[in-house]
Amino acid sequence: MAATIRRRLQRGAASTAVAALVLAALTASQAPGATEAAAARKHEPAPPADTPIDGGSTYFTDRPPHHRPAPPRDAHGPGQGTPLGTGPAEAGLPATVLAAYKKAASAVHASDPGCRLPWQLLAGIGKVESGQARGGAVDAEGTTLQPILGPQLNGHGFARITDTDGGRYDGDLTHDRAVGPMQFIPSTWSNGGLDGTGWGADGNGDGKKDPNNVFDAALAAGRYLCAGGRDLSDQDDLDRAILGYNNSEDYLRTVLSWYTFYRHGTHEVPDGRGVLPVHRDGAGTGRAGSGAHHDDASGTPGRKPGKGGSGTGKPGKPGKDRPSHPGRPGGSGTGDTPGGTGTPEPEPTPEKPTPETPTGPARLTALERVGDKDLSATAGTEFAASPRVRAKDAAGKAVSGVRVRFALPTSTGARFPGDATAVTVTTDKDGLATAPTLRAGDKTGAFTIRATAVGRTAPAVAFGATVKAKPAPKADKLARTSDKELTATAGQAFAEDAVEVEATYQGKVAAGAAVTATMVTDDPKKPVENDKGPYFKDPEATGDDKDKPVRTLTGLTTDADGLLKLPKIYTDMHAGTFLLRLTTADGAVLTVKLKVAAPAGT
């Protein structure tokens, strides 16, 4: 076999014996984590890049057939509808897997319509990651019949990631492995997302987030691809999203090839009947599903190409080691065919998605913020003003028809309508684009909203936004709900829930009002905390402190009906009449008499 930069792995339909080998060892992709450089180019927040999803593991490099499937009979354009009938075997997608991709794309569109996620992109990644969940080897709920695990990430040929999940997802107690149809490593699934809670998602509504379930994994992958305010109809955003999943230009070319192939039409096949990848060694002997591709002439398995696609980790040169732009025409993509002829294998040319063309986009030079003040709202309420920008040309004139994307960091609880973290608005005849009403969540603090011109190089506009805490509920009156006399015998306790009060503010129920309860002396001028008589106990105290008397309780709050039942009240051996004083921050005061009788025979 000629010594070249990379050999291309042969396609082929899998026989039953071959399929068994493929099912034994499927591998992973690299993590959803766009590079900081990509974020800088877009002037938008990027997903974290610390830990790749597969830890540097391998992936399948099978290419689509030379002959593309015929366009679907019920479609009106790429990506529309579901093809009926039959077509090339490679265009057949297992029924449950296909349903998962479409459901995930629909869910992402509902929450982030400006991303324009096509389900065929999920299919392209799913093909490269796991051969469409091992040809659709899933149950009726979409969970794989057998685990799909990448190699152990032990530092030998891959990243070293010691166990982060106690074997919960990958069954490995020493190191992590990429898991499931879309190959997430456990730590990224659980806590690698933008808000620290992980990319894991519940795509089938069963209340669980399972990376082995194709509905869950597809939704998680879709949300990652759209993160950072991406618009996947823009070629640069599309490339960055895929490279974020696996930072390899060879991976990018492969995914784009399958994405283009599927956009020209697919058809549904029964679960378990999908075509599985077939790998071949240098002698041309069929070897299915080893999970390792060879990236250099030495045939060392398991090494993932660097950005140059050579496997050495060094960038190649356009027209020699790699194409002039990943996934686009212009470079040779040279590689060996199995059998060692050294002849490059033709491959489909990935199509460039065609973004919407606004009126006069070439004239756009800047986005200008409209309104001087930063935005603010109280937790749980709507912002009084919405982010607004004006598109302008070099002469300062308004430019209409420009698509402007407003994006929020997912870590904040604020959302646009439909629980969206990003929206795209087209400028009007005056060049103005106004985001829809923004609603604050329960999380308080400051965050930044960014407005960018989709597909244009105009600098982003940042809006400062702040969510303030809700004011404390007020209560200007406290009253007992019963007039029953409160009595107890010294050394014993009052009845459970003996003291119940109602709080109101200006005659209305005061829910959530803070109340302080203190056992006080009977000095009418300046009552102070009493050191004898009735007392409370600290419910959180332990050991010798658990029975220690507590005569002041803070942090008590009324319920939704404005009611508050005080904790159990105990007594020491002092008899007499004692006072319990209840107060609120708004000046409400209620004094309750507690009578303690001496024990019988004293």
Side-chain angles (χ1 to χ4, degrees):
M1 184 174 74
T4 60
I5 295 299
R6 181 182 68 254
R7 71 178 178 83
R8 181 156 301 134
L9 302 179
Q10 187 80 348
R11 301 180 308 278
S15 66
T16 302
V18 167
L21 290 173
V22 173
L23 299 184
L26 282 165
T27 54
S29 80
Q30 189 158 327
T35 62
E36 293 181 1
R41 288 193 294 272
K42 285 296 293 178
H43 304 284
E44 295 178 342
D50 296 40
T51 306
I53 277 209
D54 69 353
S57 185
T58 54
Y59 52 84
F60 287 105
T61 55
D62 289 20
R63 304 288 182 177
H66 299 315
H67 301 291
R68 296 173 175 172
R73 287 180 293 180
D74 65 341
H76 301 287
Q80 303 296 317
T82 302
L84 302 175
T86 60
E90 287 287 358
L93 293 176
T96 300
V97 177
L98 176 60
Y101 295 148
K102 291 188 174 183
K103 185 174 182 179
S106 177
V108 171
H109 177 76
S111 62
D112 187 4
C115 175
R116 295 173 172 81
L117 170 69
W119 66 261
Q120 292 90 341
L121 178 58
L122 294 174
I125 291 175
K127 176 67 174 181
V128 176
E129 293 298 335
S130 66
Q132 309 300 12
R134 297 171 171 168
V138 297
D139 62 20
E141 302 301 321
T143 302
T144 57
L145 300 179
Q146 297 293 332
I148 300 178
L149 300 176
Q152 188 182 64
L153 301 176
N154 54 17
H156 301 297
F158 312 105
R160 177 180 173 81
I161 304 178
T162 55
D163 178 55
T164 62
D165 66 332
R168 175 185 176 187
Y169 296 118
D170 57 11
D172 195 321
L173 297 175
T174 59
H175 295 83
D176 273 351
R177 298 170 182 261
V179 179
M182 304 303 277
Q183 291 288 274
F184 283 81
I185 56 173
S187 58
T188 306
W189 182 265
S190 298
N191 56 28
L194 286 172
D195 57 1
T197 60
W199 290 103
D202 178 12
N204 60 356
D206 64 356
K208 297 183 293 185
K209 298 178 181 180
D210 183 3
N212 297 295
N213 183 279
V214 69
F215 288 95
D216 294 357
L219 179 57
R223 288 177 175 172
Y224 161 70
L225 293 167
C226 289
R230 296 191 184 107
D231 179 352
L232 299 182
S233 67
D234 177 75
Q235 184 68 49
D236 289 336
D237 270 6
L238 177 64
D239 290 352
R240 276 191 287 270
I242 298 172
L243 286 171
Y245 213 104
N246 188 308
N247 195 18
S248 158
E249 292 186 3
D250 183 63
Y251 179 87
L252 173 64
R253 282 190 293 269
T254 306
V255 169
L256 286 174
S257 295
W258 282 108
Y259 168 50
T260 301
F261 180 78
Y262 289 139
R263 278 170 56 89
H264 279 78
T266 62
H267 60 272
E268 182 181 297
V269 298
D271 290 342
R273 299 292 182 88
V275 174
L276 292 172
V278 177
H279 291 198
R280 297 180 181 272
D281 59 22
T285 304
R287 179 168 57 85
S290 69
H293 62 282
H294 299 276
D295 302 313
D296 58 13
S298 68
T300 303
R303 295 177 60 193
K304 186 178 65 177
K307 289 187 178 182
S310 67
T312 64
K314 299 178 181 179
K317 296 180 180 180
K320 182 179 180 182
D321 294 337
R322 61 175 178 170
S324 56
H325 190 286
R328 300 178 187 175
S332 66
T334 303
D336 290 343
T337 58
T341 64
T343 303
E345 177 185 337
E347 62 182 76
T349 301
E351 289 185 350
K352 177 178 179 179
T354 303
E356 299 174 16
T357 303
T359 304
R363 296 184 290 122
L364 177 68
T365 59
L367 292 179
E368 177 183 81
R369 176 174 175 163
V370 178
D372 297 329
K373 295 182 180 179
D374 284 345
L375 311 173
S376 65
T378 300
T381 66
E382 294 181 349
F383 282 77
S386 295
R388 195 180 196 192
V389 297
R390 176 178 280 108
K392 302 173 70 173
D393 61 15
K397 295 182 179 180
V399 181
S400 64
V402 176
R403 287 165 47 228
V404 177
R405 184 172 175 80
F406 296 90
L408 310 170
T410 56
S411 57
T412 182
R415 292 292 185 269
F416 291 115
D419 201 33
T421 57
V423 293
T424 301
V425 179
T426 302
T427 58
D428 61 17
K429 61 182 180 60
D430 297 317
L432 293 174
T434 303
T437 301
L438 180 63
R439 185 174 185 83
D442 293 330
K443 185 175 182 179
T444 60
F447 61 94
T448 300
I449 306 168
R450 294 188 179 275
T452 55
V454 177
R456 303 297 153 211
T457 58
V461 174
F463 296 82
T466 303
V467 177
K468 302 175 182 178
K470 294 180 180 179
K474 295 183 177 182
D476 58 10
K477 184 178 180 180
L478 292 171
R480 283 189 63 195
T481 58
S482 170
D483 58 3
K484 183 178 180 180
E485 187 177 63
L486 301 172
T487 62
T489 301
Q492 299 181 13
F494 286 84
E496 293 280 355
D497 302 330
V499 181
E500 182 184 62
V501 298
E502 180 183 32
T504 57
Y505 181 70
Q506 296 181 353
K508 296 181 179 180
V509 168
V515 178
T516 298
T518 307
M519 300 295 179
V520 297
T521 63
D522 58 1
D523 185 342
K525 294 183 179 180
K526 190 177 181 181
V528 295
E529 184 179 275
N530 207 339
D531 60 357
K532 60 178 66 70
Y535 62 90
F536 303 103
K537 290 183 180 181
D538 184 352
E540 298 181 359
T542 59
D544 295 338
D545 291 334
K546 66 180 182 179
D547 292 324
K548 184 178 180 180
V550 175
R551 290 188 165 88
T552 297
L553 287 181
T554 59
L556 303 172
T557 58
T558 59
D559 63 16
D561 297 319
L563 300 177
L564 169 64
K565 292 182 179 180
L566 267 63
K568 190 173 184 178
I569 300 174
Y570 301 84
T571 68
D572 57 17
M573 297 309 296
H574 292 86
T577 298
F578 299 88
L579 302 180
L580 167 63
R581 192 169 187 258
L582 304 173
T583 61
T584 70
D586 301 297
V589 178
L590 173 65
T591 301
V592 179
K593 290 183 179 182
L594 303 174
K595 294 184 178 181
V596 180
T602 301

